[in-house]
Amino acid sequence: MKWKHNIKYWLIAFALTLLAAVMMYVGVALYFDTGYFDTVNTVLGFGIGLVSLLISVVALIFSVITYVSIDAVNALSSMEGNVLCSESYNAEYMLLVDQYDDCLTQLDLQKRLFCDLDDYLKKHSKTCMAFTDFLQYFLDRLLWFAYLDTKREDYQASVMEIIEKIEKKYNEFNAISNGNQYVLREHIKLIKNVLNYQSVSHEGQELDANGKMLNIRGRMLVNGVSKTVYYDYLGLEYHKMALQKIRQITGYADEEFLSHNMDLISHFSYSEDEIKEINLYLTQARMAFEQATLSSENDILWKGYISFNCARIDLLSYLVNNNFPESWHKSLADAIESRYFVRKLFVSEGKADSFLKLEFAKEHIYAKALSLSLKHYLSPDDAEKTHLVKEAEALRKEIMALNTNNEIIFKRSLKYIHDILGEKAPMKV
């Protein structure tokens, strides 16, 4: 315990010591005034009484210090009623979007996120309870990190810095119980592994065995946000494992569902063991996304992400197994509807919105472009294909109307549009 933060307890000890000194002085004065020290027995009795009084006062002082020390340690390490263990907790995503309304570029958002996290950690880290508030604060904003450029050196340096600070602060709480240590540890691992997955996914690398969501004790996560983040990224991890296996077998070069890629995946001759392994990953991914849906309680923002992820799983299952589950239509339709709703809630038409809000518009367009491309690829009806071509041309005009410099998601959307239109070279946006 740091005594400089407990001056009042030292004042209590000083007051008790001063009181004992005054009592001793009064006692000595009385003895001398009354001439009571006329025999050895009286002097001895007085000395014993004085020593007893001194011992009692010292014992009292140490008792008080021990009591307040235990109380201070309990206050420092207590996690009773913490937010990480609250089953009813949910994030205020409307406020979280508006909070970054002045971030007009990707770099603006990156700087603000790390600045906010650093400031919040400084103010909310003196006790375990405050530290849990910080971890939840970080978890609520993990969604926005998916929109950042993980290849930037300043981004990677900022991630390493904030993680080091979190680890250092966690190591200071060595007085808490094992159960509470596990709660903190698993949430820290969750944050680190999500950031790791985002970096790996953006850079096209394979998953590191030490950074996988499977290393997290998922059942220890209680509140809705933590569970949703965990199960969604667990599903993404299994999805990536399936893609890595398919790429290893077929030589499939990227993760886009373009017509030539779908031809390659669907027409490849897989062995029975290969099919079994791929389906194992896809099944586990679907189960994880279903758990994420339950945990998010159909939160409109999360529904758009999870439904889209489910659609990708169902599509891969169709391509590999040559079947066509009905859930594929529903998942992608749900994703488009949810992303449309989010877009209407946050994005102002004809207005220069924040970087985050424009990302919502791009995600809606991307889901529509993918849906059109898949329908065009799968439809045997020429009349329907002609109609889909017209829809693709209209969607391209919609992209042009948004007039934004960020092309990350638009480039992917345009790939599908050009695939439908039979254009080899993408047009400039």
Side-chain angles (χ1 to χ4, degrees):
M1 185 176 74
K2 297 180 179 180
W3 295 106
K4 64 181 180 180
H5 297 306
N6 297 282
I7 297 177
K8 62 180 181 179
Y9 301 135
W10 283 107
L11 290 176
I12 293 173
F14 175 75
L16 291 173
T17 304
L18 183 62
L19 177 62
V22 170
M23 292 173 61
M24 292 168 60
Y25 173 79
V26 171
V28 171
L30 288 174
Y31 273 115
F32 277 107
D33 287 344
T34 57
Y36 196 67
F37 293 112
D38 54 349
T39 67
V40 175
N41 288 337
T42 56
V43 174
L44 185 61
F46 173 76
I48 294 173
L50 198 62
V51 171
S52 299
L53 176 62
L54 182 61
I55 292 173
S56 299
V57 172
V58 171
L60 176 61
I61 291 172
F62 276 99
S63 297
V64 172
I65 291 176
T66 301
Y67 173 78
V68 298
S69 298
I70 294 173
D71 186 58
V73 170
N74 287 338
L76 183 70
S77 60
S78 174
M79 286 177 55
E80 184 177 354
N82 74 86
V83 66
L84 296 179
C85 296
S86 172
E87 295 183 6
S88 59
Y89 178 83
N90 63 292
E92 299 173 320
Y93 284 114
M94 291 288 289
L95 293 178
L96 289 177
V97 173
D98 291 339
Q99 182 179 354
Y100 300 99
D101 212 28
D102 57 341
C103 297
L104 301 181
T105 67
Q106 188 181 61
L107 187 57
D108 289 341
L109 180 62
Q110 175 185 311
K111 290 179 178 178
R112 273 287 303 281
L113 280 171
F114 284 112
C115 182
D116 288 351
L117 287 172
D118 194 56
D119 290 343
Y120 203 88
L121 180 59
K122 291 177 181 176
K123 297 175 182 177
H124 297 79
S125 61
K126 292 182 174 63
T127 66
C128 279
M129 185 69 78
F131 189 52
T132 61
D133 290 341
F134 165 76
L135 293 178
Q136 190 62 60
Y137 182 88
F138 201 152
L139 285 165
D140 290 347
R141 286 154 182 78
L142 270 180
L143 272 176
W144 309 154
F145 280 79
Y147 299 115
L148 302 181
D149 183 2
T150 61
K151 297 179 182 179
R152 291 179 60 96
E153 291 184 2
D154 55 347
Y155 169 86
Q156 295 171 0
S158 296
V159 167
M160 289 181 62
E161 182 180 359
I162 193 67
I163 293 299
E164 286 176 0
K165 290 180 179 179
I166 293 173
E167 293 282 4
K168 182 179 179 181
K169 181 55 61 176
Y170 168 75
N171 291 331
E172 292 178 8
F173 299 119
N174 53 12
I176 63 176
S177 66
N178 287 339
N180 288 336
Q181 284 185 355
Y182 277 122
V183 171
L184 293 179
R185 183 74 253 164
E186 296 310 306
H187 281 86
I188 293 172
K189 284 165 59 179
L190 177 62
I191 291 172
K192 290 171 62 177
N193 289 7
V194 168
L195 293 175
N196 176 67
Y197 178 88
Q198 290 171 348
S199 295
V200 168
S201 179
H202 288 179
E203 296 174 18
Q205 300 174 358
E206 293 193 0
L207 291 169
D208 181 4
N210 294 323
K212 290 185 176 180
M213 304 303 292
L214 289 170
N215 295 330
I216 297 174
R217 298 177 176 90
R219 291 188 178 183
M220 293 189 69
L221 306 177
V222 176
N223 81 34
V225 173
S226 300
K227 289 196 295 184
T228 302
V229 170
Y230 168 72
Y231 283 114
D232 184 56
Y233 276 88
L234 179 63
L236 288 172
E237 188 171 283
Y238 278 119
H239 170 257
K240 193 168 186 65
M241 292 166 71
L243 283 176
Q244 287 176 355
K245 186 63 179 179
I246 293 172
R247 184 182 296 114
Q248 176 187 345
I249 298 170
T250 65
Y252 166 51
D254 57 49
E255 298 184 7
E256 300 291 350
F257 289 116
L258 300 173
S259 57
H260 64 277
N261 288 333
M262 289 192 287
D263 281 338
L264 175 63
I265 297 173
S266 61
H267 296 144
F268 193 86
S269 297
Y270 301 93
S271 68
E272 185 177 343
D273 288 340
E274 290 170 342
I275 290 285
K276 186 176 181 180
E277 182 177 352
I278 293 170
N279 283 335
L280 175 63
Y281 296 142
L282 295 177
T283 300
Q284 291 297 319
R286 198 65 166 81
M287 291 170 59
F289 289 137
E290 289 172 358
Q291 286 291 328
T293 300
L294 293 174
S295 300
S296 65
E297 296 181 350
N298 288 319
D299 178 279
I300 189 64
L301 199 57
W302 272 109
K303 186 177 180 180
Y305 297 119
I306 299 170
S307 297
F308 187 77
N309 291 335
C310 287
R312 291 195 295 172
I313 292 298
D314 293 339
L315 179 60
L316 274 180
S317 179
Y318 157 69
L319 293 174
V320 172
N321 298 289
N322 291 317
N323 57 22
F324 192 64
E326 291 299 323
S327 59
W328 182 88
H329 289 286
K330 185 178 186 306
S331 296
L332 192 52
D334 286 346
I336 294 172
E337 182 181 1
S338 299
R339 290 184 172 188
Y340 174 77
F341 187 35
V342 169
R343 181 179 177 182
K344 288 300 179 183
L345 279 176
F346 295 113
V347 183
S348 303
E349 299 296 337
K351 177 184 174 184
D353 272 304
S354 69
F355 171 79
L356 201 54
K357 292 179 180 179
L358 284 173
E359 288 297 309
F360 296 153
K362 295 171 192 175
E363 287 183 331
H364 174 231
I365 289 174
Y366 177 61
K368 288 171 64 177
L370 175 59
S371 178
L372 290 176
S373 178
L374 295 175
K375 289 177 181 177
H376 186 267
Y377 173 76
L378 297 169
S379 175
D381 188 349
D382 290 338
E384 184 179 0
K385 285 181 180 289
T386 301
H387 175 70
L388 292 170
V389 167
K390 292 181 180 179
E391 287 193 36
E393 290 173 342
L395 188 58
R396 182 163 63 182
K397 291 179 181 179
E398 184 179 346
I399 292 175
M400 296 289 289
L402 279 174
N403 189 26
T404 175
N405 294 324
N406 190 305
E407 300 177 357
I408 295 175
I409 293 182
F410 279 152
K411 283 182 178 179
R412 300 173 69 190
S413 300
L414 287 169
K415 283 183 181 180
Y416 292 117
I417 292 174
H418 298 312
D419 200 33
I420 296 171
L421 301 179
E423 300 173 349
K424 295 183 179 180
M427 48 179 304
K428 295 182 180 179
V429 179

